[in-house]
């Protein structure tokens, strides 16, 4: 399946470089333009046995000269606005030989408003941003609450906005480019924290979305917050197709988080880097947005940037890798407008309930005295612990991981620059992704366990932060990408290691915070721990302090 329908379907043996440079080593068709989906006819079990036989040509007497064998294939398609064409090849993926083209197939309404997703704009929880995609550039509206409306601001990006190098055009610049349509964003104001509202978006000319119910998060300083957090999600096909960068756990995680939302106990979601894994194959953003719409349309969906959104040569990324496929953060910032410092400065802080979140970019300069470092220092120094007793620090690349990998997952320079800030300002909990598993540490600083948890009456590890010693780190990169295994023997600071798809579920009051890692297939809690302070600490036992 190709889009647009006028795409080149000639064979290009060297096009595999476009996949490999972003880390995708899958066997995919080597055409001159990215084929969005591909299946072998043998996906139909009846094809090889010719259970659906026919006659392709008859002689003058009516006898069959050429027998045919039919196959039926099913493709899951979302409205990505441009027309599509189905193309039949022989020769396999490596040496495709064109047999037949279907001709262009068009969507009934390529301008449809789709994939609405919410994000918080500030810590008051009295406004929410809605972002959606349409094939129409004219401003549209979100209608919400009791007769209120807000008009959208409209943005897009072009091939000229993508990064590349002279020797080899990036996938985003050439092979994987797809028109993103128009990205609409509107802010719903006059809301109340922790309240439910309905909305729809679109216009009379292009149509309206279904009416959706959403809930605002609790305001900063309120007593309670429940959120879900994960990283490295991506997407996977809802059919037997092969496509670029399939993340096998993404569907189970999305379905499990949807069930969490149905309980009414999720105030917000944090997706901390490696968002869609489109990596320059731009049509994949539409498939990803389709996957998360049931989640992100109902609660605030906050994000952090990762290497697969930002990194590319000559792009000013800290790490000079081709991981973004030439997107260089442009697509990410267009689809997920956060309350960030500025364009290409995707770091921000926000408060919900009893928690102050600080979200950094591990892909932008973080060294001492850099703009981002100074901002982190200033933000952490200004937190009111009487308003938000908990501080959670979020980024993509971790400071601690037991998984080695081909490339190092931990940058010692990053740790040396930023970790002292966490200790100096008594950050309670740190969440990272990038490594595709779950791992929890002791209260750790400079590789040493400054504090260890004790067991409560239910056997749950409890960290007493009334006697603060160091941050606890948790990797939650098990949101979809193929899992990373652990060595047989972990480091002394590594207390829990789980290589299963899932997410963390967090509930914070003013005196305790419960963190649970949930297996997305079984909904079973695979690790859990508490951090306590104040009155809760008096009933939790004592913290073991280690020299």
């Amino acid at each position: 399946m190709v889009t647009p329908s006028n795409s080149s379907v000639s064979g290009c043996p060297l096009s595999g470089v476009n996949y490999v440079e972003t880390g995708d080593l899958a066997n995919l068709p080597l055409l001159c333009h990215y084929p969005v989906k591909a299946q072998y006819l043998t996906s139909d079990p009846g094809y090889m046995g010719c259970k659906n036989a026919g006659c392709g040509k008859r002689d003058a007497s009516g006898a069959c000269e050429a027998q045919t064998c039919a196959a039926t294939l099913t493709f899951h398609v979302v409205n990505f606005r441009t027309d599509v064409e189905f193309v039949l090849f022989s020769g396999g993926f490596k040496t495709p030989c064109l047999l037949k083209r279907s001709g262009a197939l068009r969507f009934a309404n390529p301008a449809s408003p789709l994939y609405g997703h919410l994000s918080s704009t500030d810590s008051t929880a009295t406004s929410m941003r809605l972002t959606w995609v349409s094939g129409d550039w004219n401003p549209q509206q979100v209608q919400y609450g009791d007769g209120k409306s807000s008009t959208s601001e409209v943005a897009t990006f072009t091939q000229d906005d993508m990064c590349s190098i002279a020797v080899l055009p990036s996938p985003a610049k050439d092979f994987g480019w797809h028109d993103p349509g128009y990205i609409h964003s509107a802010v719903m104001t006059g809301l109340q924290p922790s309240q439910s509202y309905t909305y729809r978006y679109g216009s009379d000319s292009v149509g309206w979305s279904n009416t959706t119910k959403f809930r605002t998060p609790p305001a900063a300083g309120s007593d309670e917050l429940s959120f879900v957090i994960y990283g490295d999600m991506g997407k996977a096909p809802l059919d037997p197709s092969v496509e670029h960068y399939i993340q096998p756990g993404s569907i189970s995680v999305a379905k499990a988080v949807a069930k969490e939302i149905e309980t009414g106990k999720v105030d917000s979601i944090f997706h901390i880097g490696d968002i869609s894994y489109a990596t320059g194959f731009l049509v994949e953003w539409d498939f990803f947005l389709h996957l998360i719409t049931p989640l992100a349309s109902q609660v605030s969906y906050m994000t952090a940037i990762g290497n697969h959104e930002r990194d590319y040569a000559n792009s000013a990324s800290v790490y000079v890798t081709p991981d973004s496929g030439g997107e260089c953060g442009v697509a990410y910032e267009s689809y997920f407008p956060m309350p960030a410092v500025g364009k290409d400065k995707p770091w921000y802080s926000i408060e919900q309930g009893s928690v102050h979140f600080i979200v950094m970019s591990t892909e932008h300069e973080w060294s001492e005295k850099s703009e981002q470092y100074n901002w982190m220092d200033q933000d952490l120094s200004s937190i009111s612990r009487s308003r938000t007793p908990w501080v959670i620090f979020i980024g993509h690349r971790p400071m601690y991981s037991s998984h080695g990998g081909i490339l190092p997952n931990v940058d010692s320079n990053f740790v040396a620059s930023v970790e002292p800030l966490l200790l100096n300002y008594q950050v309670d909990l740190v969440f990272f992704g990038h490594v595709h598993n779950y791992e929890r540490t002791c209260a750790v600083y400079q590789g040493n366990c400054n504090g260890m948890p004790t067991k409560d009456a239910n056997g749950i590890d409890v960290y007493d932060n009334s006697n603060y010693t160091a941050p606890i780190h948790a990797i939650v990169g098990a949101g979809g990408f193929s899992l990373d295994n652990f060595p047989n023997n972990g480091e002394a600071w590594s207390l829990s290691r789980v290589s299963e798809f899932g997410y963390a579920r967090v509930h914070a009051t003013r005196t305790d915070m419960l963190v649970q890692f949930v297996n997305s297939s079984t909904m079973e809690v695979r690790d859990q721990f508490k951090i306590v302070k104040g009155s809760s600490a008096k009933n939790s036992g004592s913290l073991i302090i280690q020299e």
Side-chain angles (χ1 to χ4, degrees), residues 118-122 125 127-128 192-196 213-220 222-229 257-270 295-302 350-355 357 504-509:
L118 298 161
S119 59
S120 296
T121 60
D122 58 32
S127 63
M128 291 280 275
Q192 293 298 314
S194 301
Q195 296 296 316
S196 294
K213 185 177 181 180
F214 77 99
R215 196 159 75 103
T216 54
S222 54
D223 292 339
E224 207 168 352
L225 173 70
S226 294
F227 66 93
V228 165
I229 185 166
V257 175
K259 291 179 182 178
E260 297 276 6
I261 292 173
E262 288 174 4
T263 68
K265 297 179 181 179
V266 176
D267 296 313
S268 57
I269 297 170
F270 285 81
L295 325 176
S297 61
Q298 297 188 69
V299 297
S300 176
Y301 198 91
M302 308 303 290
I350 196 162
E351 294 178 340
Q352 295 180 350
S354 55
V355 180
F357 296 94
R505 180 171 62 201
V506 185
H507 178 253
T509 68

Side-chain angles (χ1 to χ4, degrees), residues 503-543:
Y503 54 92
R505 180 171 62 201
V506 185
H507 178 253
T509 68
R510 299 190 70 80
T511 57
D512 63 82
M513 180 159 49
L514 175 65
V515 182
Q516 298 175 311
F517 178 73
V518 181
N519 178 299
S520 59
S521 296
T522 65
M523 303 288 285
E524 176 187 357
V525 175
R526 300 290 288 117
D527 181 56
Q528 57 183 329
F529 63 96
K530 283 183 180 179
I531 312 174
V532 298
K533 60 178 63 176
S535 60
S536 289
K538 297 176 182 179
N539 303 315
S540 65
S542 59
L543 189 75

Side-chain angles (χ1 to χ4, degrees), residues 424-440:
N424 292 344
Y425 293 110
Q426 297 192 5
V427 168
D428 296 287
L429 180 58
V430 182
F431 282 114
F432 289 119
H434 192 60
V435 183
H436 307 131
N437 52 36
Y438 167 83
E439 186 167 18
R440 168 171 60 94

Side-chain angles (χ1 to χ4, degrees), residues 461-498:
D461 280 355
V462 179
Y463 301 80
D464 182 0
N465 275 20
S466 296
N467 302 311
Y468 183 84
T469 56
I472 299 111
H473 290 245
I475 289 177
V476 288
F481 197 95
S482 298
L483 294 167
D484 291 327
N485 294 319
F486 291 103
N488 292 330
N489 298 312
E491 299 286 344
W493 44 257
S494 178
L495 302 188
S496 179
R497 299 178 293 278
V498 182

Side-chain angles (χ1 to χ4, degrees), residues 277-307:
Y277 287 92
T279 62
F281 298 79
L282 278 305
V283 71
E284 301 301 341
W285 277 105
D286 287 278
F287 284 98
F288 172 76
L289 293 170
H290 177 269
L291 175 67
I292 66 162
T293 296
L295 325 176
S297 61
Q298 297 188 69
V299 297
S300 176
Y301 198 91
M302 308 303 290
T303 58
I305 199 167
N307 53 301

